[in-house]
Amino acid sequence: MLIKISAESFDPWSEVRDYQDESGQMAGKFGATSLFVGTMRDFNEGDDVAGMILEHYPGMTERALEKIVREAVERWPVIDTLVVHRVGEIGPGEPIVLVAVWTSHRGDAFDASRYIMEALKSKAPFWKKEVLKGRGERWVAHNTDGYLKTE
């Protein structure tokens, strides 16, 4: 398990490749890898968004993420995990979060990855301030549930 909080932009595909390469003990042990990459949108709640400032509480955030990953490992037969999360100033199109889960079978990989991501969005201590195009800033009061509302 590796959890990284990064103030710098990152390439999620390089993070996964490098982690797998450095974790040689995984070779041949997993049959499925589930990856989720969340990127910053340039819109939210009907407004154009120019950027975001993502804050966290150092130490507390890592402990919360570790707890979430441990919960997933207790529920599914997870071989390994990698979570990378950005903080600081983020622009549209930049990766914000990477969740990678390695398991023997795809169902467990999908389910554990989804669990980690949904728990991260609702339980981890991150605070988002959006920079609106031409309209100042606002704190994001709540996260979306992960589905597009069509009504």
Side-chain angles (χ1 to χ4, degrees):
M1 165 181 27
L2 177 62
I3 294 170
K4 292 170 57 174
I5 305 296
S6 177
E8 303 297 323
S9 186
F10 67 92
D11 175 3
W13 317 114
S14 294
E15 292 284 341
V16 170
R17 184 190 62 242
D18 294 347
Y19 187 69
Q20 265 189 207
D21 289 349
E22 293 167 10
S23 300
Q25 76 273 8
M26 284 198 316
K29 304 281 189 254
F30 61 92
T33 305
S34 179
L35 304 176
F36 175 84
V37 178
T39 56
M40 194 194 137
R41 298 185 307 261
D42 65 355
F43 64 93
N44 193 32
E45 298 179 4
D47 294 315
D48 292 332
V49 179
M52 177 173 36
I53 301 164
L54 193 55
E55 296 183 4
H56 77 300
Y57 194 103
M60 178 189 285
T61 303
E62 290 86 348
R63 284 190 301 276
L65 293 173
E66 288 169 6
K67 182 176 187 284
I68 290 165
V69 170
R70 279 195 310 274
E71 290 169 355
V73 169
E74 289 170 4
R75 291 179 66 176
W76 293 277
V78 171
I79 294 168
D80 208 347
T81 61
L82 169 64
V83 176
V84 181
H85 206 296
R86 277 289 306 278
V87 294
E89 294 184 15
I90 303 168
E94 290 185 43
I96 299 173
V97 62
L98 162 67
V99 174
V101 175
W102 290 268
T103 66
S104 296
H105 300 282
R106 69 183 174 276
D108 294 323
F110 284 133
D111 292 347
S113 176
R114 172 101 192 210
Y115 176 84
I116 291 168
M117 190 60 226
E118 295 301 331
L120 182 156
K121 293 288 282 185
S122 63
K123 297 178 182 178
F126 291 101
W127 297 274
K128 298 178 191 174
K129 183 189 290 185
E130 292 176 330
V131 179
L132 304 177
K133 289 184 181 173
R135 297 194 40 222
E137 301 175 337
R138 70 173 171 213
W139 288 100
V140 176
H142 56 84
N143 286 310
T144 62
D145 66 3
Y147 293 94
L148 176 65
K149 301 295 185 237
T150 57
E151 298 177 5

